[in-house]
Amino acid sequence: MNTSIYIAKRYLVSSKKMHAINIISGISMMGILIGTAALIILLSVFNGLEKVIVSLNSNFAPELRIAARLGKTFNPNTAYFKSIHHDSRLFSYTEVLEDKVVIQYGDKTFIGRIKGVSEEFLKNTRLDSTILDGSFTLQSNNSPMAVLGVIVHNNLGININSLKPLQIYSPKRDNAISINPEDEFTARSIYPSGVFSIQQESDDFVIVPIEFTRDLFNQPAEVSSIDLNYKKGTDLASVETELQQKLGEGYTVKNRREQDTTLYKTLNYERWAVFMILAFVVIIAAFNIVGSLTILVIDKRKDIAILTSLGGNRRLIQGIFFFEGLMISLIGCFIGIVLGFIFCILQQRYGMIQVDGKINVPNNAYPIDIKLTDFGLVFFTVLVISVIASGISARLSIKGLDDIKQDL
C-alpha cells in the first residue's frame, strides 16, 4: 500500500490532541454528505417532474408535427400527404387548423386560440385524463361542441351545463373596411362540452371539430399543421428524417421537444440552476477541509519531523495530507449518495412528501425518477471539488514543513 495513503488512513481514525480538528473535519464531512444527498434527491425530483410534465404535454402534443416553413397554412391534398396517411406504421393522422379568435360568453370577452382538429384526434386515449369538468366531446347530435382550456373557462366564467353558447369571432380575410365593425368579423356559436387542463401554454385553447374552424376562417381545404402519432416500436428519429427529406425545404417536421422548446429549455435551466447552487454548498463544505488539515499539520508537527528525519520527502508529506482530505470528502460523498438513493426509493414507494396543487401524479406524491447518470455526475462533481480542496491543503502542509525544520 502507498505510504502516504496508509499514514493518511491512520490519521483519519486516530485521536487528535486538538479536538477542533475532529469538529471541523466532521463539519466538512457532514456538509459534503448533505450536499451530495441533496443533489441526488433534487436531480431525481427534477427528472420526475420533467417526466410528468412531458407526459401531460404529450396528451395533446403529437409525436411529429408537419407545418409550412413560410405562412400560416398549406394545402394537404397532395399525393405525398395521402401516402403518409396510409403508412402502416401510423397510429393517427390529424389535420389541424388553428388561429387566434375573440371568444364571448355573456358580457365577457377573451382573446384566445381556437384549434380545429379532424376526427382521428380522438384516437388519443389519454384525452379524458386532462378533463376537469364535463367530457371530451367534439360532436353531439350532429352539432359541433367545444372543449375549453381552463384559462378560457375561468376568464369567461363559463357554465358548461347551461344552455348558453359561446360566440367565436374571427376577422374576415380579404374584406374591405366597413363602417360597421360587425361586418369585419365572422361570428359562429358553439356549445361547450368540457374543460381541460394541461399546462399554461395550452390552457387558452378551445378545441373544436376542424369543420367548424374551416367555416369560421373560410378555409375549405388548408390546414395549419398535420399531427402524426405512430405505433409503439416505430423509430421516430428515422421517420422524422425521412419525412423532412421528402417534404423538402418548404415544410418543417418537429418532434415533441422541437414543438415546445421553451418548456424543455425552462426545465433544463431550472435543473442546472439548482445543481449549481447545491454544488456551491458542497464547495464551501469541501474547503472547510483546508482549515481542518492546516490545524492537523500543527497537531502532527512531531510526526512530520520524525518522517523527515527518516528520509521522508516533500512528496510523501504532501501526499499524506492530500489523501487525508480526499478521504474525508469521499466518505461524505459515498454516504450522501447512499442516503439520497434510499430517500428516493422510499419516496417512490411510499410518497412521503406530497405535492401541493393539481399536478396529476400518483398519490399526490412528488415524482421521483432515478437515473444512473445523475449519480455519476454528482460523484464526479464532488470528486473534482475534493481534489482541488485537498490539493490546496497539501500545498499548505508543505509550506508548514519549512517552519517545522527550523524548529528542529
Side-chain angles (χ1 to χ4, degrees):
M1 179 183 292
N2 185 286
T3 305
S4 297
I5 297 176
Y6 177 77
I7 297 173
K9 286 174 63 179
R10 294 296 300 271
Y11 281 176
L12 184 65
V13 298
S14 64
S15 61
K16 285 88 173 174
K17 294 178 183 178
M18 298 182 185
H19 294 295
I21 300 173
N22 295 325
I23 294 172
I24 297 173
S25 297
I27 292 171
S28 302
M29 186 181 295
M30 186 60 65
I32 292 172
L33 185 157
I34 293 171
T36 302
L39 279 170
I40 292 294
I41 292 167
L42 286 176
L43 287 176
S44 298
V45 169
F46 267 96
N47 292 337
L49 288 173
E50 180 178 358
K51 193 173 182 179
V52 169
I53 292 171
V54 171
S55 175
L56 291 174
N57 188 50
S58 66
N59 288 334
F60 271 17
E63 292 175 330
L64 295 176
R65 172 171 288 165
I66 301 173
R69 190 175 296 276
L70 299 175
K72 286 186 176 182
T73 61
F74 64 94
N75 192 330
N77 296 319
T78 65
Y80 183 64
F81 282 112
K82 289 178 181 178
S83 70
I84 295 174
H85 197 176
H86 293 95
D87 189 341
S88 60
R89 299 169 294 180
L90 198 67
F91 174 73
S92 67
Y93 177 103
T94 304
E95 293 184 348
V96 177
L97 181 59
E98 63 179 272
D99 208 341
K100 285 189 175 182
V101 292
V102 177
I103 307 166
Q104 184 176 29
Y105 185 77
D107 58 351
K108 296 181 179 180
T109 58
F110 178 78
I111 298 176
R113 293 181 292 173
I114 192 168
K115 181 174 182 175
V117 295
S118 58
E119 188 176 352
E120 289 191 34
F121 180 79
L122 296 176
K123 282 188 175 183
N124 188 342
T125 56
R126 292 176 293 183
L127 291 176
D128 288 340
S129 65
T130 67
I131 290 295
L132 301 179
D133 192 13
S135 63
F136 212 106
T137 303
L138 297 180
Q139 198 85 21
S140 178
N141 298 323
N142 294 324
S143 297
M145 304 290 286
V147 184
L148 318 173
V150 68
I151 293 178
V152 179
H153 174 265
N154 292 342
N155 275 275
L156 296 178
I158 297 170
N159 179 4
I160 63 170
N161 296 315
S162 73
L163 299 178
K164 184 186 295 185
L166 301 173
Q167 299 294 324
I168 311 293
Y169 296 91
S170 174
K172 290 182 179 179
R173 272 70 173 171
D174 303 323
N175 192 48
I177 297 176
S178 172
I179 298 176
N180 185 1
E182 292 184 0
D183 294 339
E184 296 184 19
F185 288 86
T186 300
R188 295 291 184 270
S189 300
I190 192 169
Y191 288 93
S193 63
V195 180
F196 71 86
S197 178
I198 300 176
Q199 57 171 323
Q200 188 172 358
E201 290 78 5
S202 302
D203 289 348
D204 64 344
F205 268 118
V206 174
I207 311 296
V208 297
I210 194 170
E211 291 77 16
F212 183 86
T213 52
R214 289 195 188 285
D215 179 48
L216 179 68
F217 299 144
N218 190 27
Q219 294 277 16
E222 297 201 340
V223 297
S224 304
S225 65
I226 292 177
D227 293 353
L228 306 173
N229 288 300
Y230 287 82
K231 297 174 182 176
K232 289 183 179 180
T234 303
D235 186 352
L236 294 176
S238 64
V239 171
E240 181 181 1
T241 303
E242 175 189 332
L243 289 173
Q244 188 63 74
Q245 289 176 346
K246 293 185 177 180
L247 286 168
E249 294 297 325
Y251 297 89
T252 61
V253 182
K254 295 182 178 181
N255 56 37
R256 281 182 178 143
R257 286 187 174 271
E258 293 166 338
Q259 290 167 36
D260 197 346
T261 54
T262 302
L263 171 64
Y264 290 93
K265 283 182 179 178
T266 301
L267 289 170
N268 199 41
Y269 290 154
E270 289 177 350
R271 171 191 174 90
W272 285 109
V274 171
F275 180 85
M276 295 303 295
I277 292 169
L278 290 175
F280 186 71
V281 172
V282 174
I283 290 172
I284 295 172
F287 275 87
N288 282 332
I289 297 171
V290 178
S292 67
L293 293 185
T294 302
I295 301 173
L296 182 62
V297 171
I298 299 172
D299 184 65
K300 299 299 181 181
R301 292 166 70 92
K302 289 184 179 180
D303 292 356
I304 295 171
I306 293 170
L307 284 170
T308 304
S309 63
L310 292 173
N313 56 22
R314 288 174 174 266
R315 185 175 180 181
L316 174 65
I317 305 302
Q318 192 173 15
I320 292 171
F321 294 100
F322 175 79
F323 288 114
E324 173 86 3
L326 200 59
M327 287 177 186
I328 293 172
S329 300
L330 293 183
I331 289 172
C333 177
F334 280 120
I335 297 174
I337 287 175
V338 171
L339 291 179
F341 177 74
I342 291 172
F343 178 87
C344 290
I345 293 296
L346 293 175
Q347 176 66 14
Q348 278 184 329
R349 293 189 178 182
Y350 303 109
M352 299 176 293
I353 301 178
Q354 302 291 303
V355 176
D356 293 328
K358 295 185 178 181
I359 300 178
N360 186 17
V361 293
N363 302 320
N364 290 324
Y366 261 105
I368 293 285
D369 185 21
I370 300 172
K371 292 184 178 179
L372 185 61
T373 52
D374 290 339
F375 290 83
L377 175 63
V378 171
F379 176 76
F380 179 76
T381 302
V382 175
L383 179 63
V384 170
I385 294 170
S386 303
V387 168
I388 295 171
S390 301
I392 293 172
S393 303
R395 292 180 68 86
L396 291 175
S397 71
I398 291 300
K399 288 184 179 181
L401 183 59
D402 295 330
D403 298 332
I404 292 171
K405 286 181 178 180
Q406 290 176 6
D407 292 342
L408 292 174

